[in-house]
Structure formats: C-alpha cells, structure tokens
mmCIF file of all heavy atoms in Angstrom:
data_model
loop_
_atom_site.group_PDB
_atom_site.id
_atom_site.type_symbol
_atom_site.label_atom_id
_atom_site.label_comp_id
_atom_site.label_asym_id
_atom_site.label_seq_id
_atom_site.Cartn_x
_atom_site.Cartn_y
_atom_site.Cartn_z
ATOM 1 N N ARG A 220 -102.116 118.140 -75.337
ATOM 2 C CA ARG A 220 -102.371 119.292 -74.446
ATOM 3 C C ARG A 220 -102.920 120.481 -75.239
ATOM 4 O O ARG A 220 -102.449 121.608 -75.111
ATOM 5 C CB ARG A 220 -101.097 119.708 -73.698
ATOM 6 C CG ARG A 220 -100.446 118.609 -72.871
ATOM 7 C CD ARG A 220 -101.344 118.166 -71.710
ATOM 8 N NE ARG A 220 -100.646 117.316 -70.754
ATOM 9 C CZ ARG A 220 -100.531 115.992 -70.863
ATOM 10 N NH1 ARG A 220 -101.039 115.376 -71.917
ATOM 11 N NH2 ARG A 220 -99.911 115.287 -69.936
ATOM 12 N N ILE A 221 -103.910 120.211 -76.078
ATOM 13 C CA ILE A 221 -104.480 121.270 -76.932
ATOM 14 C C ILE A 221 -105.422 122.125 -76.089
ATOM 15 O O ILE A 221 -106.399 121.621 -75.536
ATOM 16 C CB ILE A 221 -105.219 120.660 -78.134
ATOM 17 C CG1 ILE A 221 -104.247 119.824 -78.979
ATOM 18 C CG2 ILE A 221 -105.852 121.755 -78.994
ATOM 19 C CD1 ILE A 221 -104.917 119.019 -80.076
ATOM 20 N N PRO A 222 -105.167 123.438 -75.985
ATOM 21 C CA PRO A 222 -105.984 124.283 -75.108
ATOM 22 C C PRO A 222 -107.317 124.662 -75.755
ATOM 23 O O PRO A 222 -107.426 125.646 -76.467
ATOM 24 C CB PRO A 222 -105.103 125.522 -74.899
ATOM 25 C CG PRO A 222 -104.268 125.596 -76.141
ATOM 26 C CD PRO A 222 -104.057 124.182 -76.612
ATOM 27 N N LEU A 223 -108.309 123.837 -75.501
ATOM 28 C CA LEU A 223 -109.627 124.009 -76.110
ATOM 29 C C LEU A 223 -110.695 123.793 -75.055
ATOM 30 O O LEU A 223 -110.606 122.852 -74.260
ATOM 31 C CB LEU A 223 -109.812 122.988 -77.244
ATOM 32 C CG LEU A 223 -111.243 122.719 -77.723
ATOM 33 C CD1 LEU A 223 -111.794 123.918 -78.454
ATOM 34 C CD2 LEU A 223 -111.306 121.477 -78.585
ATOM 35 N N THR A 224 -111.711 124.644 -75.051
ATOM 36 C CA THR A 224 -112.884 124.415 -74.210
ATOM 37 C C THR A 224 -114.003 123.851 -75.078
ATOM 38 O O THR A 224 -114.470 124.528 -76.002
ATOM 39 C CB THR A 224 -113.354 125.717 -73.548
ATOM 40 O OG1 THR A 224 -112.305 126.237 -72.735
ATOM 41 C CG2 THR A 224 -114.584 125.474 -72.689
ATOM 42 N N ALA A 225 -114.389 122.625 -74.818
ATOM 43 C CA ALA A 225 -115.486 121.994 -75.553
ATOM 44 C C ALA A 225 -116.768 122.144 -74.735
ATOM 45 O O ALA A 225 -116.921 121.526 -73.684
ATOM 46 C CB ALA A 225 -115.181 120.520 -75.804
ATOM 47 N N VAL A 226 -117.666 122.991 -75.204
ATOM 48 C CA VAL A 226 -118.957 123.188 -74.553
ATOM 49 C C VAL A 226 -119.956 122.205 -75.160
ATOM 50 O O VAL A 226 -120.095 122.130 -76.389
ATOM 51 C CB VAL A 226 -119.459 124.635 -74.731
ATOM 52 C CG1 VAL A 226 -120.877 124.791 -74.189
ATOM 53 C CG2 VAL A 226 -118.518 125.619 -74.037
ATOM 54 N N ILE A 227 -120.617 121.447 -74.308
ATOM 55 C CA ILE A 227 -121.660 120.514 -74.749
ATOM 56 C C ILE A 227 -122.974 120.950 -74.109
ATOM 57 O O ILE A 227 -123.100 120.969 -72.884
ATOM 58 C CB ILE A 227 -121.351 119.066 -74.328
ATOM 59 C CG1 ILE A 227 -119.975 118.630 -74.837
ATOM 60 C CG2 ILE A 227 -122.438 118.120 -74.833
ATOM 61 C CD1 ILE A 227 -119.485 117.330 -74.208
ATOM 62 N N VAL A 228 -123.934 121.337 -74.920
ATOM 63 C CA VAL A 228 -125.268 121.669 -74.419
ATOM 64 C C VAL A 228 -126.114 120.401 -74.538
ATOM 65 O O VAL A 228 -126.463 119.969 -75.644
ATOM 66 C CB VAL A 228 -125.890 122.845 -75.185
ATOM 67 C CG1 VAL A 228 -127.277 123.158 -74.636
ATOM 68 C CG2 VAL A 228 -124.991 124.083 -75.086
ATOM 69 N N ASP A 229 -126.381 119.796 -73.403
ATOM 70 C CA ASP A 229 -127.032 118.485 -73.355
ATOM 71 C C ASP A 229 -128.527 118.662 -73.117
ATOM 72 O O ASP A 229 -128.966 118.975 -72.012
ATOM 73 C CB ASP A 229 -126.395 117.657 -72.232
ATOM 74 C CG ASP A 229 -126.920 116.225 -72.179
ATOM 75 O OD1 ASP A 229 -127.832 115.899 -72.957
ATOM 76 O OD2 ASP A 229 -126.416 115.443 -71.348
ATOM 77 N N ASP A 230 -129.298 118.472 -74.185
ATOM 78 C CA ASP A 230 -130.762 118.533 -74.049
ATOM 79 C C ASP A 230 -131.379 117.153 -74.241
ATOM 80 O O ASP A 230 -132.578 117.026 -74.509
ATOM 81 C CB ASP A 230 -131.366 119.553 -75.011
ATOM 82 C CG ASP A 230 -131.202 119.187 -76.478
ATOM 83 O OD1 ASP A 230 -130.550 118.151 -76.770
ATOM 84 O OD2 ASP A 230 -131.720 119.922 -77.339
ATOM 85 N N GLY A 231 -130.544 116.109 -74.141
ATOM 86 C CA GLY A 231 -131.065 114.747 -74.174
ATOM 87 C C GLY A 231 -131.532 114.296 -75.535
ATOM 88 O O GLY A 231 -132.457 113.486 -75.629
ATOM 89 N N GLY A 232 -130.901 114.798 -76.599
ATOM 90 C CA GLY A 232 -131.283 114.326 -77.921
ATOM 91 C C GLY A 232 -131.031 115.343 -79.006
ATOM 92 O O GLY A 232 -130.228 116.264 -78.852
ATOM 93 N N TYR A 233 -131.739 115.157 -80.121
ATOM 94 C CA TYR A 233 -131.610 116.064 -81.262
ATOM 95 C C TYR A 233 -132.706 117.129 -81.163
ATOM 96 O O TYR A 233 -133.844 116.926 -81.620
ATOM 97 C CB TYR A 233 -131.713 115.289 -82.574
ATOM 98 C CG TYR A 233 -130.520 114.384 -82.829
ATOM 99 C CD1 TYR A 233 -130.669 113.013 -82.952
ATOM 100 C CD2 TYR A 233 -129.238 114.919 -82.937
ATOM 101 C CE1 TYR A 233 -129.576 112.184 -83.181
ATOM 102 C CE2 TYR A 233 -128.130 114.106 -83.163
ATOM 103 C CZ TYR A 233 -128.303 112.741 -83.285
ATOM 104 O OH TYR A 233 -127.216 111.927 -83.500
ATOM 105 N N GLY A 234 -132.370 118.264 -80.572
ATOM 106 C CA GLY A 234 -133.365 119.282 -80.250
ATOM 107 C C GLY A 234 -134.038 119.893 -81.460
ATOM 108 O O GLY A 234 -135.234 120.194 -81.435
ATOM 109 N N MET A 235 -133.266 120.088 -82.542
ATOM 110 C CA MET A 235 -133.856 120.706 -83.736
ATOM 111 C C MET A 235 -134.870 119.773 -84.388
ATOM 112 O O MET A 235 -135.964 120.189 -84.784
ATOM 113 C CB MET A 235 -132.735 121.052 -84.710
ATOM 114 C CG MET A 235 -133.151 121.955 -85.845
ATOM 115 S SD MET A 235 -133.549 123.627 -85.307
ATOM 116 C CE MET A 235 -135.151 123.810 -86.066
ATOM 117 N N LEU A 236 -134.518 118.498 -84.487
ATOM 118 C CA LEU A 236 -135.451 117.517 -85.069
ATOM 119 C C LEU A 236 -136.670 117.323 -84.167
ATOM 120 O O LEU A 236 -137.795 117.142 -84.643
ATOM 121 C CB LEU A 236 -134.742 116.190 -85.301
ATOM 122 C CG LEU A 236 -133.527 116.239 -86.230
ATOM 123 C CD1 LEU A 236 -132.906 114.858 -86.369
ATOM 124 C CD2 LEU A 236 -133.902 116.796 -87.593
ATOM 125 N N ARG A 237 -136.423 117.360 -82.858
ATOM 126 C CA ARG A 237 -137.525 117.261 -81.888
ATOM 127 C C ARG A 237 -138.503 118.424 -82.097
ATOM 128 O O ARG A 237 -139.731 118.237 -82.108
ATOM 129 C CB ARG A 237 -136.937 117.298 -80.476
ATOM 130 C CG ARG A 237 -137.941 117.128 -79.363
ATOM 131 C CD ARG A 237 -137.255 117.380 -78.029
ATOM 132 N NE ARG A 237 -136.285 116.358 -77.687
ATOM 133 C CZ ARG A 237 -135.119 116.602 -77.077
ATOM 134 N NH1 ARG A 237 -134.772 117.832 -76.763
ATOM 135 N NH2 ARG A 237 -134.300 115.609 -76.778
ATOM 136 N N PHE A 238 -137.963 119.628 -82.280
ATOM 137 C CA PHE A 238 -138.801 120.807 -82.521
ATOM 138 C C PHE A 238 -139.632 120.618 -83.791
ATOM 139 O O PHE A 238 -140.839 120.912 -83.804
ATOM 140 C CB PHE A 238 -137.919 122.051 -82.636
ATOM 141 C CG PHE A 238 -138.664 123.314 -82.993
ATOM 142 C CD1 PHE A 238 -139.254 124.091 -82.008
ATOM 143 C CD2 PHE A 238 -138.791 123.720 -84.314
ATOM 144 C CE1 PHE A 238 -139.944 125.252 -82.335
ATOM 145 C CE2 PHE A 238 -139.484 124.878 -84.650
ATOM 146 C CZ PHE A 238 -140.055 125.638 -83.651
ATOM 147 N N ASP A 239 -138.994 120.131 -84.860
ATOM 148 C CA ASP A 239 -139.709 119.920 -86.130
ATOM 149 C C ASP A 239 -140.852 118.919 -85.951
ATOM 150 O O ASP A 239 -141.962 119.144 -86.453
ATOM 151 C CB ASP A 239 -138.736 119.384 -87.188
ATOM 152 C CG ASP A 239 -137.959 120.498 -87.877
ATOM 153 O OD1 ASP A 239 -138.417 121.645 -87.847
ATOM 154 O OD2 ASP A 239 -136.891 120.219 -88.442
ATOM 155 N N GLN A 240 -140.577 117.820 -85.252
ATOM 156 C CA GLN A 240 -141.615 116.807 -85.077
ATOM 157 C C GLN A 240 -142.766 117.334 -84.226
ATOM 158 O O GLN A 240 -143.947 117.098 -84.537
ATOM 159 C CB GLN A 240 -140.997 115.544 -84.462
ATOM 160 C CG GLN A 240 -140.055 114.820 -85.417
ATOM 161 C CD GLN A 240 -139.411 113.588 -84.812
ATOM 162 O OE1 GLN A 240 -139.708 113.198 -83.680
ATOM 163 N NE2 GLN A 240 -138.520 112.956 -85.572
ATOM 164 N N ASP A 241 -142.436 118.062 -83.157
ATOM 165 C CA ASP A 241 -143.482 118.627 -82.302
ATOM 166 C C ASP A 241 -144.329 119.638 -83.071
ATOM 167 O O ASP A 241 -145.559 119.668 -82.953
ATOM 168 C CB ASP A 241 -142.854 119.305 -81.081
ATOM 169 C CG ASP A 241 -142.273 118.302 -80.090
ATOM 170 O OD1 ASP A 241 -142.512 117.096 -80.258
ATOM 171 O OD2 ASP A 241 -141.572 118.747 -79.153
ATOM 172 N N ARG A 242 -143.654 120.472 -83.868
ATOM 173 C CA ARG A 242 -144.358 121.532 -84.601
ATOM 174 C C ARG A 242 -145.342 120.946 -85.603
ATOM 175 O O ARG A 242 -146.418 121.499 -85.850
ATOM 176 C CB ARG A 242 -143.320 122.406 -85.317
ATOM 177 C CG ARG A 242 -143.863 123.602 -86.079
ATOM 178 C CD ARG A 242 -142.736 124.430 -86.656
ATOM 179 N NE ARG A 242 -141.931 123.672 -87.595
ATOM 180 C CZ ARG A 242 -142.076 123.710 -88.920
ATOM 181 N NH1 ARG A 242 -143.018 124.464 -89.456
ATOM 182 N NH2 ARG A 242 -141.286 123.001 -89.703
ATOM 183 N N ARG A 243 -144.986 119.819 -86.169
ATOM 184 C CA ARG A 243 -145.847 119.208 -87.181
ATOM 185 C C ARG A 243 -146.862 118.247 -86.577
ATOM 186 O O ARG A 243 -147.645 117.633 -87.305
ATOM 187 C CB ARG A 243 -144.971 118.467 -88.198
ATOM 188 C CG ARG A 243 -144.140 119.410 -89.052
ATOM 189 C CD ARG A 243 -143.150 118.667 -89.913
ATOM 190 N NE ARG A 243 -142.446 119.599 -90.800
ATOM 191 C CZ ARG A 243 -141.278 119.343 -91.368
ATOM 192 N NH1 ARG A 243 -140.691 118.179 -91.162
ATOM 193 N NH2 ARG A 243 -140.703 120.231 -92.158
ATOM 194 N N GLY A 244 -146.808 118.092 -85.250
ATOM 195 C CA GLY A 244 -147.732 117.186 -84.599
ATOM 196 C C GLY A 244 -147.404 115.721 -84.810
ATOM 197 O O GLY A 244 -148.269 114.855 -84.652
ATOM 198 N N HIS A 245 -146.148 115.437 -85.176
ATOM 199 C CA HIS A 245 -145.741 114.047 -85.387
ATOM 200 C C HIS A 245 -145.290 113.434 -84.060
ATOM 201 O O HIS A 245 -144.800 114.143 -83.174
ATOM 202 C CB HIS A 245 -144.571 113.980 -86.377
ATOM 203 C CG HIS A 245 -144.924 114.420 -87.757
ATOM 204 N ND1 HIS A 245 -143.985 114.639 -88.747
ATOM 205 C CD2 HIS A 245 -146.128 114.705 -88.331
ATOM 206 C CE1 HIS A 245 -144.583 115.020 -89.856
ATOM 207 N NE2 HIS A 245 -145.889 115.069 -89.633
ATOM 208 N N PRO A 246 -145.416 112.141 -83.912
ATOM 209 C CA PRO A 246 -144.827 111.504 -82.719
ATOM 210 C C PRO A 246 -143.308 111.626 -82.762
ATOM 211 O O PRO A 246 -142.710 111.652 -83.849
ATOM 212 C CB PRO A 246 -145.273 110.044 -82.840
ATOM 213 C CG PRO A 246 -145.585 109.838 -84.283
ATOM 214 C CD PRO A 246 -146.077 111.163 -84.795
ATOM 215 N N ARG A 247 -142.693 111.720 -81.607
ATOM 216 C CA ARG A 247 -141.230 111.829 -81.567
ATOM 217 C C ARG A 247 -140.594 110.487 -81.943
ATOM 218 O O ARG A 247 -140.867 109.473 -81.320
ATOM 219 C CB ARG A 247 -140.762 112.268 -80.182
ATOM 220 C CG ARG A 247 -141.081 113.719 -79.873
ATOM 221 C CD ARG A 247 -140.447 114.140 -78.560
ATOM 222 N NE ARG A 247 -140.737 115.547 -78.271
ATOM 223 C CZ ARG A 247 -140.308 116.176 -77.180
ATOM 224 N NH1 ARG A 247 -139.586 115.526 -76.276
ATOM 225 N NH2 ARG A 247 -140.592 117.450 -76.993
ATOM 226 N N GLU A 248 -139.741 110.538 -82.956
ATOM 227 C CA GLU A 248 -139.068 109.321 -83.446
ATOM 228 C C GLU A 248 -137.565 109.588 -83.480
ATOM 229 O O GLU A 248 -137.093 110.447 -84.228
ATOM 230 C CB GLU A 248 -139.553 108.966 -84.862
ATOM 231 C CG GLU A 248 -141.025 108.609 -84.960
ATOM 232 C CD GLU A 248 -141.313 107.183 -84.504
ATOM 233 O OE1 GLU A 248 -140.343 106.469 -84.179
ATOM 234 O OE2 GLU A 248 -142.499 106.797 -84.467
ATOM 235 N N GLY A 249 -136.813 108.866 -82.668
ATOM 236 C CA GLY A 249 -135.360 108.907 -82.752
ATOM 237 C C GLY A 249 -134.726 110.225 -82.363
ATOM 238 O O GLY A 249 -133.609 110.531 -82.802
ATOM 239 N N VAL A 250 -135.424 111.015 -81.558
ATOM 240 C CA VAL A 250 -134.879 112.329 -81.200
ATOM 241 C C VAL A 250 -134.610 112.477 -79.705
ATOM 242 O O VAL A 250 -133.860 113.367 -79.296
ATOM 243 C CB VAL A 250 -135.813 113.477 -81.661
ATOM 244 C CG1 VAL A 250 -135.870 113.526 -83.184
ATOM 245 C CG2 VAL A 250 -137.213 113.340 -81.078
ATOM 246 N N ASP A 251 -135.224 111.657 -78.877
ATOM 247 C CA ASP A 251 -134.953 111.673 -77.433
ATOM 248 C C ASP A 251 -133.963 110.553 -77.145
ATOM 249 O O ASP A 251 -134.296 109.365 -77.264
ATOM 250 C CB ASP A 251 -136.252 111.479 -76.639
ATOM 251 C CG ASP A 251 -137.217 112.643 -76.829
ATOM 252 O OD1 ASP A 251 -136.740 113.785 -76.914
ATOM 253 O OD2 ASP A 251 -138.427 112.391 -76.911
ATOM 254 N N LEU A 252 -132.746 110.921 -76.806
ATOM 255 C CA LEU A 252 -131.648 109.959 -76.719
ATOM 256 C C LEU A 252 -131.187 109.756 -75.281
ATOM 257 O O LEU A 252 -131.278 110.661 -74.453
ATOM 258 C CB LEU A 252 -130.454 110.458 -77.550
ATOM 259 C CG LEU A 252 -130.733 110.821 -79.012
ATOM 260 C CD1 LEU A 252 -129.460 111.318 -79.677
ATOM 261 C CD2 LEU A 252 -131.295 109.629 -79.766
ATOM 262 N N ASP A 253 -130.681 108.571 -74.997
ATOM 263 C CA ASP A 253 -129.990 108.317 -73.736
ATOM 264 C C ASP A 253 -128.556 108.811 -73.900
ATOM 265 O O ASP A 253 -127.742 108.166 -74.580
ATOM 266 C CB ASP A 253 -129.990 106.819 -73.405
ATOM 267 C CG ASP A 253 -131.379 106.314 -73.022
ATOM 268 O OD1 ASP A 253 -132.192 107.142 -72.580
ATOM 269 O OD2 ASP A 253 -131.633 105.108 -73.180
ATOM 270 N N THR A 254 -128.256 109.956 -73.331
ATOM 271 C CA THR A 254 -126.926 110.525 -73.507
ATOM 272 C C THR A 254 -125.998 110.064 -72.388
ATOM 273 O O THR A 254 -126.451 109.797 -71.271
ATOM 274 C CB THR A 254 -126.983 112.070 -73.537
ATOM 275 O OG1 THR A 254 -127.676 112.530 -72.371
ATOM 276 C CG2 THR A 254 -127.714 112.561 -74.761
ATOM 277 N N PRO A 255 -124.707 109.955 -72.677
ATOM 278 C CA PRO A 255 -123.764 109.501 -71.650
ATOM 279 C C PRO A 255 -123.525 110.571 -70.594
ATOM 280 O O PRO A 255 -123.924 111.726 -70.749
ATOM 281 C CB PRO A 255 -122.490 109.235 -72.451
ATOM 282 C CG PRO A 255 -122.586 110.146 -73.627
ATOM 283 C CD PRO A 255 -124.048 110.230 -73.961
ATOM 284 N N ASP A 256 -122.849 110.166 -69.544
ATOM 285 C CA ASP A 256 -122.350 111.111 -68.542
ATOM 286 C C ASP A 256 -121.095 111.732 -69.137
ATOM 287 O O ASP A 256 -120.007 111.136 -69.109
ATOM 288 C CB ASP A 256 -122.039 110.352 -67.249
ATOM 289 C CG ASP A 256 -121.515 111.251 -66.141
ATOM 290 O OD1 ASP A 256 -120.980 112.333 -66.453
ATOM 291 O OD2 ASP A 256 -121.614 110.865 -64.961
ATOM 292 N N PHE A 257 -121.247 112.920 -69.703
ATOM 293 C CA PHE A 257 -120.129 113.536 -70.436
ATOM 294 C C PHE A 257 -118.962 113.905 -69.515
ATOM 295 O O PHE A 257 -117.809 113.894 -69.948
ATOM 296 C CB PHE A 257 -120.618 114.772 -71.200
ATOM 297 C CG PHE A 257 -121.444 114.450 -72.411
ATOM 298 C CD1 PHE A 257 -122.821 114.644 -72.417
ATOM 299 C CD2 PHE A 257 -120.855 113.940 -73.555
ATOM 300 C CE1 PHE A 257 -123.580 114.338 -73.531
ATOM 301 C CE2 PHE A 257 -121.609 113.633 -74.682
ATOM 302 C CZ PHE A 257 -122.973 113.831 -74.667
ATOM 303 N N VAL A 258 -119.261 114.246 -68.274
ATOM 304 C CA VAL A 258 -118.179 114.562 -67.335
ATOM 305 C C VAL A 258 -117.342 113.315 -67.081
ATOM 306 O O VAL A 258 -116.095 113.353 -67.100
ATOM 307 C CB VAL A 258 -118.749 115.136 -66.018
ATOM 308 C CG1 VAL A 258 -117.639 115.299 -64.970
ATOM 309 C CG2 VAL A 258 -119.422 116.491 -66.283
ATOM 310 N N ALA A 259 -118.004 112.187 -66.875
ATOM 311 C CA ALA A 259 -117.277 110.924 -66.676
ATOM 312 C C ALA A 259 -116.532 110.516 -67.941
ATOM 313 O O ALA A 259 -115.411 109.990 -67.875
ATOM 314 C CB ALA A 259 -118.250 109.831 -66.253
ATOM 315 N N LEU A 260 -117.152 110.753 -69.106
ATOM 316 C CA LEU A 260 -116.502 110.439 -70.374
ATOM 317 C C LEU A 260 -115.194 111.208 -70.516
ATOM 318 O O LEU A 260 -114.145 110.639 -70.854
ATOM 319 C CB LEU A 260 -117.445 110.767 -71.535
ATOM 320 C CG LEU A 260 -116.897 110.577 -72.951
ATOM 321 C CD1 LEU A 260 -116.656 109.100 -73.242
ATOM 322 C CD2 LEU A 260 -117.856 111.168 -73.982
ATOM 323 N N ALA A 261 -115.247 112.524 -70.256
ATOM 324 C CA ALA A 261 -114.032 113.340 -70.342
ATOM 325 C C ALA A 261 -112.994 112.872 -69.329
ATOM 326 O O ALA A 261 -111.795 112.783 -69.639
ATOM 327 C CB ALA A 261 -114.377 114.809 -70.121
ATOM 328 N N ALA A 262 -113.450 112.548 -68.121
ATOM 329 C CA ALA A 262 -112.523 112.106 -67.071
ATOM 330 C C ALA A 262 -111.819 110.817 -67.480
ATOM 331 O O ALA A 262 -110.643 110.607 -67.142
ATOM 332 C CB ALA A 262 -113.276 111.911 -65.761
ATOM 333 N N ALA A 263 -112.503 109.955 -68.214
ATOM 334 C CA ALA A 263 -111.891 108.708 -68.672
ATOM 335 C C ALA A 263 -110.704 108.971 -69.597
ATOM 336 O O ALA A 263 -109.778 108.159 -69.688
ATOM 337 C CB ALA A 263 -112.934 107.845 -69.379
ATOM 338 N N PHE A 264 -110.734 110.103 -70.279
ATOM 339 C CA PHE A 264 -109.612 110.497 -71.139
ATOM 340 C C PHE A 264 -108.581 111.344 -70.379
ATOM 341 O O PHE A 264 -107.591 111.777 -70.965
ATOM 342 C CB PHE A 264 -110.125 111.298 -72.336
ATOM 343 C CG PHE A 264 -110.818 110.477 -73.384
ATOM 344 C CD1 PHE A 264 -112.181 110.284 -73.351
ATOM 345 C CD2 PHE A 264 -110.097 109.888 -74.417
ATOM 346 C CE1 PHE A 264 -112.837 109.535 -74.319
ATOM 347 C CE2 PHE A 264 -110.739 109.137 -75.386
ATOM 348 C CZ PHE A 264 -112.103 108.951 -75.345
ATOM 349 N N GLY A 265 -108.843 111.612 -69.098
ATOM 350 C CA GLY A 265 -107.942 112.465 -68.339
ATOM 351 C C GLY A 265 -108.131 113.941 -68.620
ATOM 352 O O GLY A 265 -107.224 114.746 -68.410
#
C-alpha cells in the first residue's frame, strides 16, 4: 500500500531516440514501440 502516483507519458516508443533519428534524417529503427494498455496492466495488479 505504498502511496505513490506513477505518471506514464505514453508516446508509443522512445521519443528522445526518435527525435535524434528524425533530426539526422535516419530511418526510424527500434523507436516506435507497441506499448501495452497500461491501465489494464495496473488493474491486473489491483
């Protein structure tokens, strides 16, 4: 019962690496991720 608010900013991947790849004109590699349903994930833990 640890009183903590865990904020998750879900942008669907690694945003900083995505920015670096876009800025350099590189194709996106390994930065756009299939993220889980975090609300359902938390609910599974109660």
Side-chain angles (χ1 to χ4, degrees):
R220 303 295 191 273
I221 300 172
L223 162 70
T224 300
V226 174
I227 305 168
V228 180
D229 185 356
D230 65 357
Y233 291 119
M235 193 69 232
L236 301 180
R237 183 188 292 142
F238 175 86
D239 276 339
Q240 291 179 4
D241 289 351
R242 183 176 61 98
R243 291 172 175 159
H245 294 170
R247 288 187 179 180
E248 296 281 357
V250 294
D251 295 323
L252 307 179
D253 290 336
T254 53
D256 180 337
F257 287 106
V258 173
L260 176 67
F264 286 92

